[in-house]
Amino acid sequence: MSGPVKDYVCLDLETSGLYPKYDKIIEIGAVKVKNGQITDRFRSLVNPGRKLTEITTAITGIHDGDLVSAPDITEILPSFLAFSEALPLLGHSILFDYSFIKKAAVNQGLSFEREGIDTLKLARKFLPDLESRALENLCIHFHIPHTAHRALGDAEATQQLYVKLCELFWNEKDFAPRQLVYKVKKEGPASGAQKERLYRLAAVHKLELDADIEKMTKNEASRTIDKILAQYGKLTEHVEKP
């Protein structure tokens, strides 16, 4: 490698929570860089099939109403994969964003194997004296314009941060892309029996579920059923049967 990576996609996501196993993507933002210059941008809200928590809305400014007409991840993911080509991924804690995309890809039977560069790891190594290496604080430190906690704004800021870190600290060992590894098993959609059971439980107990039953995976449906049974007791098993 003769210098910093100049062809890559800088990715950032907004999600409904911190755990890919349970939470969902609600916004994708990315910038494509070729020969060191931004050549394209990708931005889309994503309907997670569930209601957002107040904390998520407070952090991102995204409301349930904003996502009603947004595409499902199954609709938008192929477009993002085509946009990102086979380029390395750049991000601030890039494994977090990669893990959500990887899970969605695996569930759709799509391949998503990439190398990545993590600006958070670089900042932790080369800027140890800063009070915080959060993206927002680093942008303040380097006077980088930043629209915080929105996917495209974070991606654009991270790309500028990477350029700055390269200018100050680049060396081949620390800045080389590394294989991103996140192991995940495919989750199939909820079965017809699971959906029917959830609709019955919701009707019997007059529940308004936070998630769309039709968009649940088998594991999500199973966890939701268990949660309802735990809250309302085993009597439910008898009540719900005709």
Side-chain angles (χ1 to χ4, degrees):
M1 186 187 303
S2 59
V5 173
K6 293 187 176 181
D7 295 349
Y8 55 88
V9 166
C10 188
L11 169 67
D12 188 83
L13 305 178
E14 300 302 328
T15 61
S16 64
L18 300 176
Y19 304 102
K21 183 176 181 179
Y22 305 110
D23 297 309
K24 302 290 184 179
I25 298 168
I26 61 173
E27 187 176 37
I28 303 174
V31 292
K32 184 184 294 185
V33 176
K34 293 287 186 72
N35 197 28
Q37 301 296 318
I38 294 177
T39 60
D40 203 357
R41 290 174 169 82
F42 186 98
R43 179 181 185 180
S44 179
L45 291 170
V46 182
N47 189 330
R50 63 177 61 178
K51 293 181 179 179
L52 302 181
T53 65
E54 292 182 1
I55 293 175
T56 299
T57 294
I59 291 173
T60 64
I62 298 172
H63 297 262
D64 289 322
D66 300 325
L67 304 176
V68 171
S69 59
D72 184 82
I73 190 62
T74 57
E75 301 172 59
I76 199 64
L77 184 60
S79 297
F80 171 73
L81 296 184
F83 169 88
S84 64
E85 303 176 34
L87 294 169
L89 298 179
L90 174 74
H92 205 67
S93 190
I94 187 58
L95 190 60
F96 173 86
D97 303 284
Y98 176 75
S99 64
F100 275 87
I101 296 288
K102 177 71 178 286
K103 182 188 176 188
V106 168
N107 282 349
Q108 294 183 48
L110 302 173
S111 176
F112 189 62
E113 303 295 335
R114 296 296 165 86
E115 292 185 328
I117 302 170
D118 192 338
T119 53
L120 177 58
K121 288 184 178 180
L122 293 172
R124 284 173 172 166
K125 177 164 186 175
F126 293 109
L127 299 165
D129 296 331
L130 290 185
E131 184 175 342
S132 169
R133 268 80 65 190
L135 181 60
E136 188 170 2
N137 293 83
L138 289 166
C139 287
I140 293 171
H141 179 75
F142 287 118
H143 306 290
I144 296 171
H146 181 211
T147 303
H149 301 301
R150 290 305 299 264
L152 184 58
D154 283 346
E156 290 173 331
T158 299
Q159 191 271 331
Q160 292 185 57
L161 172 63
Y162 171 69
V163 172
K164 190 65 178 178
L165 292 172
C166 287
E167 290 174 355
L168 294 172
F169 308 112
W170 184 84
N171 67 76
E172 185 171 346
K173 177 183 177 182
D174 293 309
F175 283 76
R178 289 173 170 77
Q179 187 66 42
L180 296 171
V181 178
Y182 179 74
K183 296 182 179 180
V184 60
K185 294 182 180 180
K186 183 175 182 179
E187 293 183 346
S191 67
Q194 285 179 312
K195 292 178 184 178
E196 181 181 358
R197 193 174 189 200
L198 279 168
Y199 281 121
R200 280 174 150 181
L201 286 169
V204 167
H205 297 293
K206 298 179 173 59
L207 302 176
E208 184 177 348
L209 300 182
D210 291 335
D212 184 342
I213 293 173
E214 294 299 323
K215 293 184 178 181
M216 286 185 181
T217 65
K218 286 184 179 179
N219 288 345
E220 289 169 341
S222 179
R223 286 195 296 268
T224 303
I225 290 169
D226 288 345
K227 184 178 179 180
I228 294 172
L229 293 178
Q231 182 173 352
Y232 291 92
K234 293 298 182 180
L235 182 61
T236 303
E237 293 284 2
H238 173 73
V239 173
E240 65 165 324
K241 294 179 181 178

